Amino acid sequence: MIKDVMVPLDGTAADEARLAAANDIADLFESQIIGLFLNVLPVVIAQEDGIGAMRAAHLLQKARDAGDKTQARLTGRLAGLQKPVELHRFDILNDAAGDVAAREARTADAFVALRPDQSLLEPEHLVESVLFGSGRHIFLVPNRKPAKAMFNRILVAWNGTRESARALAEALPYLHKAHEATVVVVDDEPPAEGRAVLGKDAVDHLKRHGINATLHRARRRDGDVGATLIAETRRLKADLLVMGGYGHSRLREWLLGGATYALLHKAPVPLLLAH
């Protein structure tokens, strides 16, 4: 079950989309919400003379004071949700944000964030760090006017890899709440040898969990798995897309030209990713 939902907050308007999704998940599972406030401090180099040291101390204190004000606003915003909440604050340098977020996410059942885009409202390194470093799933929503998060129809992208198995396991609580669950396998035409039965094992696994899942095979569109999954998500009117996150280190490297890149930037529904 999902009993604690972590969400990064920064006091900006982007918090509305993050909190709306976290709140919907918390309502569904009667969960606690944990706000994660990473107060980024400026990098200051104290000079040897007393004036330089005083200026550096002033800049740091100014950043901490600004953090105090943001923390107060966030505390009030969370209290308004009228459910169990916590706010965890860390005063850090910018390059530590990803590591701290991944560490904190390890003891939460879900980490809700915005899909990374060119606006940089959700830094790519933070999404990357949580996805690859937390061991938990990340629930990504678009930065737009909050809409009710629905889990009536869930599409699970399956290719038989360790990553897709991890995503499937992390998605089980949501799948138990769904009205329809579809395991989608993207194939060439005809399917490569050994792939003809791919996906049946995942469907059988879900059925043993009491989930009425069905298998759907989709033909790859122009060799593009991402475009195929987007089209199937729309065609099947899915509310959530579940898939494994692939790669090793830098987010930009494993996204470049890959299915995950297309989905992060163009998916019509929220994404549940796990590595």
Side-chain angles (χ1 to χ4, degrees):
M1 297 295 287
I2 308 295
K3 288 304 179 184
D4 36 28
V5 181
M6 181 165 287
V7 54
L9 302 172
D10 57 13
T12 68
D15 285 344
E16 292 305 309
R18 298 182 185 106
L19 270 178
N23 194 48
D24 288 341
I25 295 172
D27 283 342
L28 187 66
F29 296 104
E30 298 182 353
S31 313
Q32 174 171 302
I33 293 179
I34 303 173
L36 180 64
F37 173 38
L38 302 178
N39 187 42
V40 178
L41 303 177
V43 177
V44 295
I45 301 175
Q47 300 174 4
E48 292 183 1
D49 62 90
I51 296 177
M54 290 176 60
R55 184 178 295 114
H58 172 72
L59 290 173
L60 288 173
Q61 189 58 49
K62 185 177 179 180
R64 292 190 176 97
D65 290 344
D68 291 342
K69 294 178 181 178
T70 300
Q71 180 178 353
R73 292 198 302 272
L74 293 177
T75 298
R77 182 68 180 85
L78 288 171
L81 298 178
Q82 298 183 335
K83 57 172 51 70
V85 295
E86 293 180 8
L87 181 64
H88 297 178
R89 170 183 171 174
F90 297 91
D91 289 350
I92 59 170
L93 297 178
N94 186 59
D95 59 1
D99 290 339
V100 173
R103 183 193 70 206
E104 294 299 301
R106 290 171 192 150
T107 50
D109 291 319
F111 189 94
V112 176
L114 300 180
R115 292 192 333 219
D117 58 26
Q118 294 179 346
S119 69
L120 300 180
L121 289 171
E122 207 74 276
E124 287 188 348
H125 69 85
L126 187 142
V127 173
E128 171 201 1
S129 296
V130 173
L131 178 58
F132 293 128
S134 70
R136 308 314 304 262
H137 72 269
I138 187 167
F139 191 100
L140 296 173
V141 296
N143 181 37
R144 60 188 181 212
K145 185 177 180 180
K148 182 72 174 177
M150 304 293 290
F151 306 102
N152 294 326
R153 298 185 182 92
I154 297 180
L155 186 153
V156 180
W158 181 259
N159 62 4
T161 62
R162 177 182 65 83
E163 290 83 357
S164 61
R166 185 71 224 141
L168 182 65
E170 287 285 309
L172 282 177
Y174 304 91
L175 289 164
H176 277 291
K177 299 289 186 178
H179 297 158
E180 298 177 22
T182 303
V183 175
V184 174
V185 175
V186 177
D187 274 325
D188 295 316
E189 190 64 38
E193 183 179 357
R195 290 180 60 90
V197 296
L198 184 65
K200 182 181 181 300
D201 49 356
V203 170
D204 290 342
H205 173 69
L206 291 177
K207 288 182 176 179
R208 287 191 288 271
H209 277 270
I211 298 166
N212 186 24
T214 58
L215 177 63
H216 173 68
R217 310 192 77 86
R219 182 176 179 178
R220 188 195 307 252
R221 296 185 172 214
D222 300 322
D224 192 333
V225 175
T228 304
L229 288 172
I230 289 172
E232 293 305 312
T233 298
R234 289 195 173 105
R235 191 180 68 80
L236 297 172
K237 298 180 179 179
D239 304 306
L240 176 66
L241 175 58
V242 175
M243 68 176 295
Y246 301 93
H248 301 287
S249 55
R250 292 297 304 163
L251 183 68
R252 293 169 187 168
E253 292 176 7
W254 67 264
L255 288 181
L256 185 59
T260 315
Y261 181 89
L263 290 164
L264 276 180
H265 292 80
K266 299 179 182 178
V269 297
L271 301 170
L272 187 157
L273 295 175
H275 177 69

